[in-house]
Amino acid sequence: MAEINKFLIERLTNRFKQKFDHPPLAVARAPGRVNLLGEHVDYNDGFVMPAAIQRATYVAFSPSPGWVSTLRSEDFAGEELTFTRESLPAKIQDDASPLPGWGLYPAGVAWVFLQHGLPVIPIQAVFASDVPRGAGLSSSASVEAAFCTAWHHLGGLNLPLMEQAALCLEAEDRYVGVHCGIMDQFASLCGVENRLLQLDCRSLEWSLLHLPEDISILIADTRIPHSLNTSAYNQRRQECEKAVQLLQVNLPSIRSLRDVSRDELEQYAGSLPIAVGMRAGHVVEEIHRTREAKICLESGNAAGFGGLMNACHASLRDLYEVSCPELDLMVEIAQSLPGCLGARLTGAGFGGSTVNLVKNSQAEDFVNHLKTAYYQKTGLSAEVFITPASAGAGIV
Ligand code: GLA
């Protein structure tokens, strides 16, 4: 079992008792994620290599005696909301007022369950997360996965984890309105302790990979919130679709950028508008890097893996254009420190966190030096922490 935040669970349980006059039936936990390689390729049918992290969303819950679900968010100053199955489609509460932004994630999961004819038992819930919001560590997916786990439990269901991830993705896409890929929901649901996950986003087949034992994963939060810059994210997606459409003139059998080889892209890049060609260049190379990375890990070549992470950052910065000065600075400092094998931005970009592969023996010095140097240059206090790969969502 993943290391759980007992303090947070106790807080939620106490608050639940105070509010509903009885203890919760159970507590669901769903982690955030960090992606080691394969960035902005999940919606291009590529391969991703994320790990679930220890930070997670926790939901203390019970079935509700009536038809109304009542949710309280400790992270939003104890704000509360209510909904029923009738109010869900209009994104409104039981009293017809609009659902607050934070409520769209749990309500979206309930709505998707209903769309699929799955039971949604009205729920009483108090929830909170220790995944920092806006840090590119999938706090939203962890909220979706935690509520999915709660309703799955209450409904006595036995759905495969990947199906649950797909339901959460549908909530994000159709209810919240962010057209993301499946990586975050997949990692939160399917995470395995001490393992990297590798997912083929086309076939949805996945496998587990080992990181060498003398290496740690470190996350550094720049404290520049990324606020999933939805329009820029959706625009990148459209540019990739445009690339496929234009390349199909010469390569009629391709369905996505996954089907384009590096040679083919080189040959036909001239037929693409400059920005579209740059996006396609990142995606095709990044998919190639994930294939190489798997070989590196299987042969214990951590330095090779780290080199691919560094190349990924340069590509996200120069070709995909989703970095920002603080992320570039954090990566530059990290790459200059002893013991660092690789560093890059993780997640969608536009702010958020970096992921770093660091030798265990040098991890402590790395944390101190990175924080100090980043503070000296920006005046910002970065949060830097080591995270083992954690187990995926479950009832704790
Ligand atoms: C966000 C999305 C993911 C993925 C990453 C970029 O985290 O939710 O689906 O596209 O960005 O790799």
Side-chain angles (χ1 to χ4, degrees):
M1 197 358 111
E3 193 161 302
I4 54 175
N5 186 337
K6 294 199 182 104
F7 170 76
L8 197 51
I9 294 179
E10 198 182 314
R11 222 182 92 204
L12 291 177
T13 307
N14 289 338
R15 180 68 79 191
F16 189 98
K17 283 190 209 148
Q18 224 176 41
K19 172 149 182 64
F20 297 111
D21 283 334
H22 59 91
L25 171 77
V27 176
R29 168 192 179 272
R33 66 94 191 92
V34 62
N35 188 23
L36 276 285
L37 212 63
E39 212 65 91
H40 285 283
V41 299
D42 57 352
Y43 52 85
N44 287 299
D45 285 349
F47 301 92
V48 292
M49 288 185 171
I53 59 175
Q54 282 200 343
R55 308 276 183 110
T57 296
Y58 295 84
V59 183
F61 68 95
S62 282
S64 171
W67 298 110
V68 181
S69 287
T70 305
L71 275 54
R72 175 184 167 104
S73 165
E74 291 305 301
D75 295 336
F76 285 83
E79 261 186 54
E80 294 183 9
L81 64 76
T82 56
F83 60 73
T84 59
R85 52 191 301 149
E86 287 73 32
S87 76
L88 279 172
K91 300 185 190 171
I92 54 174
Q93 304 199 44
D94 188 35
D95 66 0
S97 62
L99 283 171
W102 61 264
L104 293 176
Y105 301 90
V109 172
W111 178 79
V112 167
F113 267 52
L114 292 174
Q115 298 296 304
H116 287 260
L118 296 168
V120 176
I121 311 287
I123 200 173
Q124 298 173 322
V126 178
F127 75 105
S129 189
D130 61 10
V131 184
R133 267 199 317 277
L137 301 173
S138 297
S139 57
S140 332
S142 77
V143 171
E144 291 155 0
F147 276 92
C148 176
T149 303
W151 275 304
H152 188 263
H153 181 77
L154 286 176
L157 300 173
N158 196 14
L159 299 173
L161 292 172
M162 187 56 90
E163 237 169 82
Q164 296 182 52
L167 292 170
C168 292
L169 174 64
E170 200 177 326
E172 178 102 28
D173 184 44
R174 294 181 59 199
Y175 203 81
V176 182
V178 180
H179 308 307
C180 58
I182 197 160
M183 171 171 70
D184 304 349
Q185 290 79 7
F186 157 73
S188 184
L189 265 313
C190 302
V192 174
E193 212 161 347
N194 296 324
R195 294 287 178 274
L196 281 188
L197 313 170
Q198 196 202 30
L199 172 69
D200 176 339
C201 298
R202 171 171 276 169
S203 68
L204 297 187
E205 274 164 22
W206 55 288
S207 55
L208 303 179
L209 296 167
H210 291 253
L211 262 188
E213 279 177 8
D214 58 339
I215 304 291
S216 298
I217 302 172
L218 275 95
I219 290 172
D221 179 0
T222 59
R223 294 292 169 113
I224 302 292
H226 82 138
S227 72
L228 221 204
N229 192 329
T230 313
S231 60
Y233 182 88
N234 290 345
Q235 187 199 350
R236 295 297 182 284
R237 226 187 139 131
Q238 281 160 13
E239 285 167 335
C240 292
E241 282 157 17
K242 185 84 199 159
V244 173
Q245 211 183 41
L246 294 172
L247 288 168
Q248 274 169 342
V249 174
N250 292 303
L251 303 166
S253 66
I254 62 167
R255 282 193 287 141
S256 68
L257 287 174
R258 157 84 172 264
D259 301 319
V260 181
S261 71
R262 298 160 86 201
D263 287 346
E264 285 167 341
L265 187 64
E266 203 182 320
Q267 194 176 348
Y268 300 117
S271 67
L272 304 176
I274 291 175
V276 172
M278 284 160 60
R279 311 304 182 236
H282 165 75
V283 172
V284 169
E285 284 298 324
E286 182 72 353
I287 292 176
H288 177 71
R289 276 191 285 272
T290 53
R291 294 181 200 269
E292 301 265 290
K294 186 167 186 227
I295 300 171
C296 285
L297 284 185
E298 284 166 352
S299 60
N301 179 5
F305 188 92
L308 294 166
M309 288 172 68
N310 292 342
C312 169
H313 183 79
S315 175
L316 289 168
R317 181 190 61 209
D318 301 336
L319 297 179
Y320 221 65
E321 297 183 300
V322 292
S323 191
C324 67
E326 292 81 2
L327 281 168
D328 291 341
L329 175 67
M330 189 74 98
V331 164
E332 198 185 306
I333 301 169
Q335 288 174 353
S336 74
L337 292 174
C340 177
L341 302 177
R344 65 175 202 83
L345 75 83
T346 188
F350 316 104
S353 302
T354 66
V355 56
N356 307 269
L357 268 201
V358 181
K359 293 222 155 104
N360 292 345
S361 55
Q362 275 148 312
E364 210 178 306
D365 284 349
F366 176 90
V367 172
N368 294 334
H369 286 128
L370 185 59
K371 283 173 87 155
T372 310
Y374 184 74
Y375 182 78
Q376 278 166 354
K377 298 222 159 119
T378 61
L380 293 167
S381 301
E383 194 193 359
V384 186
F385 57 96
I386 298 182
T387 181
S390 141
I395 301 294
V396 296

